Amino acid sequence: MLKAVFFDIDNTLIYFDEEHFFRNYTPRLHRHFQDLIPLDRFVRKIIGSTQAMLANDGRMTNAEYFLKDFAKDLPVSVPELWTRFTEFYSTGFEPLRELAVPHPDVPKIMEQLRSMNLKLVAASNPVWPLLVQQKRLNWAGLDGFRFDFIAHIENTSFCKPRPEFYAEVCWAIGEAPGACLMVGNDSVNDMSAALAGLLTFKVQDGELNGRSALGLSRELRNDAGEPVQPDFTGGLGDLLSAVRSLVQNTGVQKS
Ligand SMILES: [Mg+2]
């Protein structure tokens, strides 16, 4: 019996070109670090420390792991680095909203799932703080919508595509993996939820509207992981019928 639905955010609930977004994001973020490091080295460090986070094995939060790696060779403390990141996210991140297009049906779909008494989880790759995940959910039209859990860099200790990420979120919401459905656009990062025992729904709207570009996700995971076949595929508009079949126990069954 289905108890929870997990959602990826990037190119699942909002659509944008990942690499175009990154090219706009990094120079703005760099303004808060320009006294420490030139832009080209800064960008390489962001990518390198994000890739390094994949090796986090649960002993510390992703934030601790990222900052420990990022602080190498920089003459400032981890708390000061964190302050610089969060200042940017509070004051400089919101204008990037213009690069993202929301899927118009997301608020309606979430309300319908909520009315089915399902737990709802925002399970974007936890490389951002809560504030950023929340902003991007707002961009999807979900301002004020209550999720049961939002995965972010401070409340997780594994990253996609590691199956342990999905296992730790299932544990956090108190549901068995087989009672959870992961919805996302990425055959590796999102569908690897199946390796933790979750059901999977691969959304294809981004591929169909030509906005989905996964080059950056591939680079950030450093070629880790293999594509995993989903249990369901379709547009977000097809999700409700898949969920109904699972709630009624007529859909795919996992042991
Ligand atoms: Mg995605």
Side-chain angles (χ1 to χ4, degrees):
M1 173 83 159
L2 189 70
K3 296 291 182 62
V5 184
F6 292 26
F7 285 90
D8 173 50
I9 298 177
D10 303 324
N11 285 308
T12 296
L13 302 182
I14 51 174
Y15 299 94
F16 59 91
D17 182 312
E18 288 183 339
E19 293 188 29
H20 182 61
F21 187 92
F22 191 71
R23 278 198 302 276
N24 279 271
Y25 158 72
T26 42
R28 292 166 191 254
L29 175 59
H30 175 252
R31 285 176 208 152
H32 293 255
F33 296 84
Q34 59 191 357
D35 57 319
L36 297 176
I37 181 171
L39 177 62
D40 56 342
R41 240 188 90 210
F42 177 76
V43 171
R44 285 201 301 277
K45 264 179 99 62
I46 290 282
I47 292 173
S49 296
T50 306
Q51 289 171 333
M53 240 191 317
L54 260 181
N56 190 7
D57 59 2
R59 273 181 288 183
M60 60 181 89
T61 68
N62 284 321
E64 289 165 339
Y65 203 95
F66 175 87
L67 291 166
K68 188 164 162 262
D69 191 84
F70 196 83
K72 281 183 209 159
D73 314 321
L74 291 180
V76 287
S77 66
V78 162
E80 187 187 331
L81 285 175
W82 182 242
T83 299
R84 289 178 184 232
F85 276 106
T86 51
E87 275 175 5
F88 167 70
Y89 294 133
S90 311
T91 61
F93 191 80
E94 187 62 22
L96 294 166
R97 180 182 197 142
E98 68 182 30
L99 303 178
V101 177
H103 188 297
D105 298 335
V106 165
K108 192 173 64 190
I109 290 168
M110 292 296 176
E111 288 298 343
Q112 293 197 10
L113 292 173
R114 175 64 77 210
S115 73
M116 297 163 82
N117 285 327
L118 293 162
K119 289 182 183 173
L120 297 175
V121 172
S124 178
N125 206 7
V127 299
W128 307 98
L130 176 61
L131 174 64
V132 175
Q133 305 294 46
Q134 191 66 66
K135 278 181 185 291
R136 294 169 336 110
L137 290 167
N138 294 350
W139 298 355
L142 295 171
D143 208 342
F145 187 84
R146 190 185 65 77
F147 281 86
D148 293 277
F149 187 83
I150 298 175
H152 59 83
I153 197 166
E154 291 183 279
N155 69 354
T156 54
S157 52
F158 294 95
C159 286
K160 297 181 184 182
R162 289 182 65 151
E164 296 99 322
F165 164 68
Y166 295 99
E168 76 175 334
V169 177
C170 289
W171 184 84
I173 63 165
E175 297 295 350
C180 301
L181 174 69
M182 175 64 198
V183 181
N185 69 307
D186 191 310
S187 297
V188 179
N189 275 1
D190 301 322
M191 299 302 104
S192 63
L195 304 177
L198 286 80
L199 295 148
T200 52
F201 185 110
K202 183 166 183 289
V203 288
Q204 296 173 309
D205 305 77
E207 289 165 34
L208 297 178
N209 69 21
R211 291 183 182 278
S212 182
L214 298 173
L216 183 65
S217 289
R218 210 162 30 240
E219 183 175 355
L220 292 179
R221 70 175 167 255
N222 217 0
D223 287 328
E226 297 287 332
V228 180
Q229 282 301 315
D231 297 306
F232 300 91
T233 54
L236 262 190
D238 302 314
L239 176 63
L240 288 171
S241 64
V243 167
R244 284 195 193 99
S245 74
L246 292 168
V247 168
Q248 292 157 9
N249 258 336
T250 57
V252 179
Q253 293 297 304
K254 291 216 168 181
S255 54

